[in-house]
Every structure is written in C-alpha cells, then in structure tokens.
C-alpha cells in the first residue's frame, strides 16, 4: 500500500475510543501551556495545579505499571503527547461521538492521548484521572505486549488499571471497583459469550463494565487461578476468543453466575504500605497566543471529515502570522493530509502545491525543524511517484530530506516509515535497508496499526507467513481496528494455504468490510 492508501486505512484504525460517557457541549478557545515530564508532554489550559497533579499521578502510574509487568523504561523513548480538553463534552465534540470522553490515537505521524480535566463529583462519575489512566494503559499494552489480546481483555485490562488511586505521599490502591460502571452493570446484563466474542453492540458502556468485572474476578479468584493466562495463550495460538473461553473456563453459564455473585458482593482491593518515588516536578512552558490557537486545530485535522475546516482556519492564522514556523508547517501538513483524501485531481494538485509553499516557509524560518524536513522529502517523493520514468538520483535526493529529519529526531518512527514507503513507491523491489527501516519503525511505534499492517504484509511477501499471521492476528483482535485486521489476517492465511499471492486491501475497499 502507498502512503495515500495507508492514510485512508488509517481512518478506520487510528483511534482507540476507550472511555464513553454522556456529553452535550463543545470546547471553547483557551490559552494553552505544556508540562514536560519524564514520559509525557501534557498540553492543557486552565488550572496549572490540577494539570500538575495529573502529570505527577501519571508518572506514578507509569512507574507502578512498569513494576507490575516488568516493562523496561527506554530512556530514549519520545515523551507521549497528551491533550486535556476542558471537559468530557469537549472530547465528544472533537471526536464527533458525544459519548466519548477520551481516546488514544496511533497515527503514523505520532501517538497521542486526548482526554479532559473534568474532576468527578463522585465515584459514580468518570473523572479526569480514570480516563487518563485507562488511555495510558492502552498505550502501555499496545507498545509493550506482543500478544494478540482479545478485545474484551484490552478494555477490561485498561478499566482494571484505571481505578488506581494515589494519596499525597504516593501510596496507592490497586483494583478498586470501577464504580462509574456500577449503574450500567446493575440495571442490565450482557451474556458472557457476547463479551468474549467482542460483540459490543450499541452498549459499549456495558461491554467495558463487564470486561472489567471479568478481568477483576479472574485476577483475584483462587478457584480460577491460572485460567486467564491459559485463555490468553489459547487466543494467541489462533483459537477464536469465544471458543477459547469454553476451553479455559469450562461452563460459561456457570462463570456468568459467579460473576453476578461477585459483582453483588464486596469487591476487595489492595493498598500499598510503601509509597512510590516522588516524580520530578514537570517543567511549565507557556504557549504563545498563536500556538495556543493552533493546538485544537492540530487535533481537528486528525479527525475524519474535519481536515478542510482545520486547513481553512490554519491558513488564516499562518497568513496573519508570517513569522510562525509552526503555523506554516501545520498548514502544509493539513494541506497534504487533505490532498491524500480527495478524489478531485485539480484540487489534489492545488493542495500539494499549497503544502509545498507553506512547508518551504517553515523551513526558511526553522531550517532544523525535523517534521518540516520530512515533509519536504514526502512532497518530493510524491512528485516522483507520479512520473513514469525512473529517476534514481532524484529519489536519492528526496530521501536525503528524510535522512535529515531522522538525524534530527532519531527516535521518531515517522521518518523510518516514510523511508520504507519511498522504496515501495519507487519500485516493486524492496531493498534490505528499506525493510530495516520498516522494522525500526515498528520497534519505535508497535502501537501504530498502520505500521504493523505494512510489516505483516511485507513478511508475507517474503514468505514468512507465521510471522505475518502473528502480526495480523494482533490487528484482527484490536477492539478499534474495524474489519481491516480480520480481512488482512484472512488474506494472509489464504495466501499461505493456496500459495497464490493476495492483493493488499485498503480500508475503502468493500472486501475489507466483508471478509
């Protein structure tokens, strides 16, 4: 798949919409700042005190989860951007799904979390901290666990960790009840067979709640000790999640009755006696008025069907602030994104020209800006991709801009991904250096579904079907991956069994939704 195809595919898999609540009002314009800590760049407005507490608790949460699961801490990893909107309603308005209160995006351009800073008035409400912990649990799972987890466990795991509470000294409670799901669980039910099969239906809140209950119960039950691990191993081996449930848990109706009894009893949790280390205070950085206006528009362009709206506003900001390299770059990137998603040839050409114009301005103002250098290479390669003659020296020149970006930001997966795509666009022959770039991109961003999909397909192209199937299965089990992962898995499995090469599927094809 080329960059344009992957951009379209990205729309179906890029967002992990994990937290659902009711919402009614949109976000408003605000003055933004950044809190830079060890693992995060937290963008927010409003109370610095509240944002600082959330930043510190996130650092504690990161330390705790790494200790629990033996996750190494890479000192070179790029901090994860987090954007805090005023309330849950603002998140829902941005995402165009009112019930969504937070989401994790794994776009090829980079990963980030969008959440809110609305404090819960009671345990029955979903507050800022629980939302953040849930989304960050997704990030840690997708980045560090090379396992084809079923969708219910992905959500149940995140819900289980989201209820961690820290006191002022850093002591913590682990496994507290997810009381923000209590009302839904008390008034309704979902058969365990549907939960295991990942059938969320229209009641995602109930699916998340029962998934949490199942994870909590299986993690604490002495009678069922070891069953969860056995179940997950069966799923990783290729057994359908619902069939694996019967194999690992036995009579599912009996387990369902046990769950109901467990829910109505006294759910216990653990409390630490020793506090976690105090994290270093985050560094406060106030954004300029121009950059404050850009932040919500930067988010808007990642959301489906709002790229044109974002581009129009960004264009006005850049023209009114010709000395802002950031504004010029954001216009260029928004124009390129819109060009990749239009079927109007004349409009596409105009947008690519606009992207080049504003990106050149960004490079003039900030020659060392890594992403602007990368976009320069992308623009040159796009132009070459539309030329029928071979021009190796021009491809080499275009890739030099990608290398410049990579040298400036060596832990940014986007540059490695773009390098691989450049060879895929130039020729059907993929050199070893390009395959190294793709593998490196996946190492740096294993949570990026589009990169994993390309890696799986490339493994199949090399005849490494077992590796290809293992990666495709991770995508197939992704609760937010739509049907693409399932289609990819089916095609690779069919290719392996018949020996007949398959064609890659992009998200706009009907086959992606039907197979």
């Amino acid at each position: 798949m080329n960059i344009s195809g992957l951009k379209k595919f990205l729309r179906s898999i890029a967002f992990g919409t994990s937290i659902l609540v009711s919402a009614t009002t949109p976000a408003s314009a605000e003055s933004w700042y950044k809190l830079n800590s060890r693992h995060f760049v937290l963008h927010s407005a409003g109370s610095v005190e509240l944002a600082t507490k959330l930043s510190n608790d996130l650092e504690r949460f990161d330390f705790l989860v790494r200790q629990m699961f033996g996750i190494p801490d890479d000192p070179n990893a790029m901090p994860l951007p987090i954007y805090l909107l005023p309330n849950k309603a603002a998140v829902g308005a941005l995402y165009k799904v009112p019930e969504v209160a937070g989401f994790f995006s794994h776009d090829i351009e980079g990963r980030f979390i969008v959440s809110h800073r609305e404090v819960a008035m009671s345990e029955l409400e979903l507050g800022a901290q629980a939302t953040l912990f849930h989304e960050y649990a997704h990030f840690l799972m997708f980045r560090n666990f090379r396992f084809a987890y079923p969708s219910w466990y992905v959500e149940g795991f995140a819900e289980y960790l989201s209820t961690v509470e820290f006191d002022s000294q850093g002591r913590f409670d682990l496994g507290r009840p997810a009381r923000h799901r209590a009302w839904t669980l008390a008034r309704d039910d979902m058969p365990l067979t549907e939960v295991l099969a990942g059938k969320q239906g229209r009641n995602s809140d109930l699916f998340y709640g029962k998934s949490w209950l199942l994870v909590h119960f299986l993690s604490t039950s002495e009678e069922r000790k070891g069953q969860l691990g056995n179940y997950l191993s069966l799923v990783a081996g290729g057994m359908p999640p619902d069939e694996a449930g019967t194999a690992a848990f036995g009579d599912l109706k009996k387990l369902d009755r046990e769950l109901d009894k467990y829910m109505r009893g006294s759910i216990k949790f653990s409390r630490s006696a020793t506090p976690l280390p105090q994290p270093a205070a985050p560094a406060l950085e106030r954004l300029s008025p121009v950059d404050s206006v850009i932040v919500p528009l930067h988010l808007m362009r990642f959301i489906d069907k709002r790229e044109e709206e974002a581009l129009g506003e960004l264009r006005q900001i850049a023209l009114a602030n010709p000395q802002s390299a950031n504004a010029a770059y954001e216009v260029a990137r928004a124009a390129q994104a819109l060009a990749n998603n239009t079927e109007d040839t004349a409009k596409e050409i105009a947008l690519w020209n606009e992207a080049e114009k504003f990106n050149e301005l960004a490079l003039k103002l900030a020659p060392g800006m890594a992403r602007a250098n990368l976009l320069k290479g992308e623009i040159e390669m796009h132009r070459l991709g539309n030329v029928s003659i071979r021009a190796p020296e021009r491809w080499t020149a275009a890739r030099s801009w990608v290398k410049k970006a990579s040298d400036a930001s060596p832990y940014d997966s986007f540059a490695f991904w773009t390098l691989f795509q450049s060879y895929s666009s130039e020729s059907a022959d993929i050199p070893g250096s390009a395959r190294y770039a793709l593998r490196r991109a996946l190492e740096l961003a294993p949570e990026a579904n589009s990169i994993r999909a390309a890696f799986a397909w490339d493994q199949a192209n090399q005849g490494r079907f077992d590796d290809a199937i293992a990666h495709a299965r991770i995508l197939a089990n992704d609760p937010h991956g739509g049907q693409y992962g399932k289609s990819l898995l089916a095609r690779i499995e069919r290719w392996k069994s018949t020996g007949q090469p398959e064609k890659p599927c992009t998200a706009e094809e009907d086959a992606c939704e039907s197979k």
Side-chain angles (χ1 to χ4, degrees):
M1 285 177 282
N2 58 24
I3 290 177
S4 178
L6 259 297
K7 281 287 189 180
K8 292 175 181 177
F9 155 52
L10 181 64
R11 294 302 172 189
S12 70
I13 64 175
F15 294 99
T17 55
S18 305
I19 301 290
L20 301 169
V21 293
S22 60
T24 55
T25 58
S28 58
E30 299 172 291
S31 296
W32 289 74
Y33 54 83
K34 293 195 293 187
L35 292 175
N36 299 286
S37 66
R38 168 69 184 82
H39 297 95
F40 311 101
V41 180
L42 194 151
H43 303 70
S44 187
S47 170
V48 174
E49 182 180 4
L50 172 61
T52 300
K53 181 182 185 305
L54 289 172
S55 176
N56 287 337
D57 284 344
L58 265 174
E59 287 290 351
R60 287 192 176 108
F61 183 75
D62 174 87
F63 182 88
L64 173 61
V65 177
R66 290 183 189 277
Q67 291 291 310
M68 287 174 62
F69 296 99
I71 300 173
D73 191 0
D74 182 358
N76 296 313
M78 298 178 68
L80 177 68
I82 295 175
Y83 298 88
L84 298 184
L85 302 188
N87 47 46
K88 296 184 286 290
V91 179
L94 175 69
Y95 195 77
K96 286 193 169 181
V97 178
E99 295 82 9
V100 170
F103 57 88
F104 167 50
S105 169
H106 30 93
D107 188 285
I108 57 173
E109 287 187 47
R111 275 58 61 201
F112 61 87
I113 288 173
V114 175
S115 186
H116 61 90
R117 52 184 186 270
E118 186 174 351
V119 178
M121 301 304 292
S122 75
E123 286 187 320
L124 297 178
E125 295 183 14
L126 180 62
Q129 179 176 286
T131 306
L132 271 177
F133 286 0
H134 181 114
E135 298 305 334
Y136 190 55
H138 278 323
F139 173 80
L140 288 173
M141 171 181 274
F142 296 154
R143 168 151 291 204
N144 297 284
F145 300 164
R146 309 292 193 268
F147 215 75
Y149 290 114
S151 60
W152 73 266
Y153 183 73
V154 171
E155 295 300 346
F157 173 86
E159 282 288 284
Y160 178 77
L161 291 177
S162 73
T163 62
V164 168
E165 290 281 354
F166 297 103
D167 67 14
S168 58
Q169 283 73 46
R171 290 184 293 265
F172 61 88
D173 294 343
L174 176 65
R176 294 180 68 91
R179 298 192 186 281
H180 54 280
R181 305 295 183 192
W183 173 245
T184 301
L185 285 170
R187 70 177 180 177
D188 206 350
D189 192 23
M190 177 180 288
L192 192 55
T193 52
E194 292 186 13
V195 175
L196 295 179
K199 296 179 180 179
Q200 297 188 33
R202 295 184 177 181
N203 199 339
S204 295
D205 189 52
L206 181 57
F207 177 79
Y208 295 156
K210 191 143 186 181
S211 296
W212 161 79
L213 184 65
L214 184 56
V215 169
H216 201 293
F217 176 66
L218 293 174
S219 299
T220 58
S221 172
E222 286 296 324
E223 293 77 11
R224 292 185 175 273
K225 190 173 183 178
Q227 289 187 2
L228 179 58
N230 182 34
Y231 169 83
L232 294 174
S233 296
L234 292 172
V235 174
M239 186 177 291
D242 47 350
E243 292 180 21
T246 301
F249 307 135
D251 184 349
L252 294 182
K253 290 184 178 180
K254 180 175 182 295
L255 176 56
D256 225 345
R257 291 193 296 271
E258 292 176 17
L259 280 176
D260 185 68
K261 181 179 179 181
Y262 186 69
M263 178 187 68
R264 299 179 189 284
S266 178
I267 294 179
K268 298 176 181 176
F269 57 90
S270 59
R271 175 165 291 170
S272 70
T274 305
L276 297 181
Q278 176 71 23
L284 174 64
E285 178 184 347
R286 298 278 182 183
L287 298 188
S288 69
V290 173
D291 288 341
S292 285
V293 176
I294 287 174
V295 169
L297 297 175
H298 171 82
L299 294 175
M300 184 189 296
R301 76 173 178 83
F302 279 90
I303 310 305
D304 196 21
K305 299 180 181 178
R306 302 193 73 187
E307 289 167 336
E308 194 153 12
E309 180 182 348
L311 176 59
E313 295 190 40
L314 286 166
R315 188 186 292 124
Q316 293 181 33
I317 294 168
L319 292 173
N321 299 275
Q323 298 305 311
S324 172
N326 186 34
Y329 169 75
E330 287 291 338
V331 172
R333 185 59 78 179
Q336 182 227 23
L338 191 58
N340 279 332
N341 286 296
T342 184
E343 297 180 359
D344 184 327
T345 302
K347 183 177 180 181
E348 180 183 359
I349 293 172
L351 286 166
W352 275 106
N353 288 338
E354 182 175 22
E356 182 174 34
K357 171 187 171 183
F358 279 94
N359 197 60
E360 290 297 327
L361 175 59
L363 284 172
K364 180 180 178 181
L365 295 169
M369 182 185 288
R371 286 295 177 89
N373 280 282
L374 181 58
L375 183 52
K376 169 78 172 179
E378 292 175 76
I379 292 169
E380 293 295 329
M381 290 185 291
H382 170 78
R383 183 174 289 120
L384 289 169
N386 291 327
V387 176
S388 58
I389 60 172
R390 286 181 57 80
E393 70 286 347
R394 291 180 64 187
W395 279 99
T396 299
R399 290 188 187 105
S400 70
W401 292 98
V402 180
K403 186 177 186 304
K404 187 175 181 180
S406 180
D407 290 344
S409 187
Y411 297 96
D412 187 351
S413 62
F414 194 13
F416 290 98
W417 161 257
T418 303
L419 183 61
F420 171 78
Q421 284 295 313
S422 74
Y423 286 101
S424 178
S425 299
E426 180 190 11
S427 169
D429 297 324
I430 307 296
S433 59
R435 288 199 162 105
Y436 166 79
L438 178 58
R439 183 177 291 275
R440 182 60 176 150
L442 185 62
E443 288 173 352
L444 291 170
E447 69 280 3
N449 284 356
S450 48
I451 296 177
R452 188 177 296 279
F455 186 82
W457 197 259
D458 189 58
Q459 291 294 292
N461 274 325
Q462 298 177 70
R464 299 174 179 173
F465 290 105
D466 289 344
D467 285 345
I469 288 170
H471 284 278
R473 187 169 288 133
I474 292 174
L475 297 174
N477 285 345
D478 188 334
H480 308 300
Q483 291 300 311
Y484 182 86
K486 293 180 177 63
S487 175
L488 181 68
L489 177 61
R491 288 179 178 217
I492 294 175
E493 287 179 331
R494 188 166 57 244
W495 186 352
K496 179 184 179 182
S497 65
T498 65
Q500 297 297 316
E502 293 277 333
K503 293 182 179 180
C505 166
T506 55
E508 69 272 16
E509 294 182 56
D510 291 339
C512 282
E513 301 301 324
S514 62
K515 294 188 179 182

